[in-house]
Amino acid sequence: MTLVVLYLAMLKTVLLSLNGQSSIPIVRHEFVIERKLVTDEQLNVALTAGQTAPGPMGGYVVAIGYFVAGLPGAVAAWLALMTPAFLAVPLMRFAGNRVEDPRVRSSLGAVVIAGSGLVISTALPMAREAGVFERLLPAGIAAGALIGTAFTRVSTVWLIVAGAAIGALVR
């Protein structure tokens, strides 16, 4: 895969996502399933790196670029990640007047719902790769994180710290 193709593939993923997490299904399909350039394990590592590093939630694509083509691949992925920021101002100027249109609001809501379904369908194979369904501890941590985010106001940072602490203490 050339760096230009890598850049364009990553640009497609970040342009089609509404936030960092909704790009996961697109990245998995493009790089794990179709092109077989990274594994689910590498995708999990990239997501972990992206979650623990400061910066945008979609920063994990830089690690995917690194897995695909080393440091030049990481730079190409980073450039793809940054490109939409340069397009945001003209896009907001264009879309600003149309946001209140019921059809536009309905369309955006449908995109969020579809993206959520894609994230869930992608999370299952990745959870399987991480061993969530094979052992009680990872399953308990995953269930606790789900309950913590769905039913409490606990910061996700504390849920991640708690999961890491439990994992370290039990091993």
Side-chain angles (χ1 to χ4, degrees):
M1 170 176 272
T2 68
L3 292 177
V4 172
V5 172
L6 176 61
Y7 169 80
L8 293 174
M10 282 299 183
L11 183 61
K12 176 179 79 172
T13 66
V14 298
L15 287 175
L16 292 176
S17 66
L18 296 177
N19 64 43
Q21 300 302 321
S22 65
S23 65
I24 297 169
I26 302 166
V27 169
R28 183 171 186 274
H29 180 78
E30 182 81 26
F31 293 95
V32 176
I33 296 171
E34 288 293 318
R35 298 181 188 262
K36 298 180 181 5
L37 294 171
V38 295
T39 65
D40 274 327
E41 182 180 2
Q42 289 173 312
L43 180 57
N44 280 335
V45 169
L47 286 166
T48 302
Q51 290 294 314
T52 57
M57 291 176 55
Y60 76 95
V61 299
V62 175
I64 296 294
Y66 181 81
F67 285 138
V68 171
L71 189 57
V75 171
W78 177 77
L79 289 171
L81 182 64
M82 302 314 297
T83 300
F86 295 109
L87 303 174
V89 173
L91 181 62
M92 289 307 294
R93 185 175 174 110
F94 172 76
N97 299 338
R98 294 165 181 82
V99 172
E100 296 303 321
D101 182 329
R103 290 178 294 175
V104 172
R105 292 179 70 79
S106 178
S107 178
L108 290 174
V111 167
V112 169
I113 292 167
S116 299
L118 289 172
V119 168
I120 291 168
S121 71
T122 301
L124 293 176
M126 292 173 57
R128 192 175 304 109
E129 175 67 34
V132 169
F133 303 119
E134 297 170 8
R135 298 184 305 273
L136 189 57
L137 178 65
I141 292 172
L146 175 63
I147 290 167
T149 56
F151 301 110
T152 71
R153 293 182 179 242
V154 176
S155 170
T156 54
V157 171
W158 292 115
L159 294 171
I160 293 169
V161 168
I166 292 168
L169 290 173
V170 173
R171 298 280 167 175

